[in-house]
Amino acid sequence: MSGQPLKKRGRPKGASSATISEVRQQAAEEKRQLKSEYNNKIIELETTLEALQVQYDADFLRLEQELEVLRKRELYYQQALGVRLEEVAMHLYDTLINWGDAELAEAQIDKRKRGRPRKTLK
């Protein structure tokens, strides 16, 4: 610093003006623009998120209702199947009992003279 005047550094890189106040104003304006853009993007994303949440809730409710209908239908089918199986079981039971009674009656008719039944049924 031996008597030489201080050199001005010139305009900062990226600035359109050399004065510090103008550079600060430009930086503040860019900061406001970026903040505004980010806020708009945040609002847009929040709106999208809310719409997706509403859609999710509606789909979830619809699927729960469909599941309840399917459960009721399955219960109805199980009850109907139970009734039908009981009918079939009773029919088989009655058929087998009638067949057995008929076989026993036939065996009684085919007894030998002294009252001994045959060893095998015909």
Side-chain angles (χ1 to χ4, degrees), residues 50-86:
E50 288 174 6
L52 290 174
Q53 185 66 39
V54 168
Q55 181 67 34
Y56 169 80
D57 291 341
D59 288 346
F60 186 78
L61 182 62
R62 180 182 52 83
L63 290 173
E64 272 188 335
Q65 290 171 347
E66 289 178 10
L67 181 62
E68 187 62 29
V69 167
L70 290 175
R71 284 184 179 150
K72 287 179 182 177
R73 185 179 298 159
E74 180 184 4
L75 182 62
Y76 170 75
Y77 286 149
Q78 286 178 351
Q79 290 173 345
L81 182 61
V83 169
R84 183 65 181 142
L85 285 175
E86 189 173 330

Side-chain angles (χ1 to χ4, degrees), residues 102-119:
E103 288 292 323
L104 285 174
E106 185 179 331
Q108 294 294 324
I109 292 172
D110 291 341
K111 279 187 180 178
R112 291 187 181 174
K113 292 182 179 177
R114 293 190 209 117
R116 285 183 298 149
R118 294 183 182 269
K119 289 185 179 178

Side-chain angles (χ1 to χ4, degrees), residues 1-15:
M1 309 275 207
S2 57
Q4 289 181 346
L6 294 175
K7 291 184 178 180
K8 291 187 178 180
R9 295 185 169 208
R11 176 169 78 206
K13 187 173 183 181

Side-chain angles (χ1 to χ4, degrees), residues 1-45:
M1 309 275 207
S2 57
Q4 289 181 346
L6 294 175
K7 291 184 178 180
K8 291 187 178 180
R9 295 185 169 208
R11 176 169 78 206
K13 187 173 183 181
S16 59
S17 173
T19 63
I20 293 182
S21 65
E22 289 178 3
V23 170
R24 286 182 180 159
Q25 286 176 354
Q26 287 175 0
E29 181 60 33
E30 288 175 6
K31 186 177 178 181
R32 279 192 294 274
Q33 286 177 354
L34 287 175
K35 187 174 182 179
S36 174
E37 289 174 12
Y38 290 148
N39 283 337
N40 289 339
K41 192 66 166 175
I42 288 171
I43 290 170
E44 180 183 328
L45 291 173

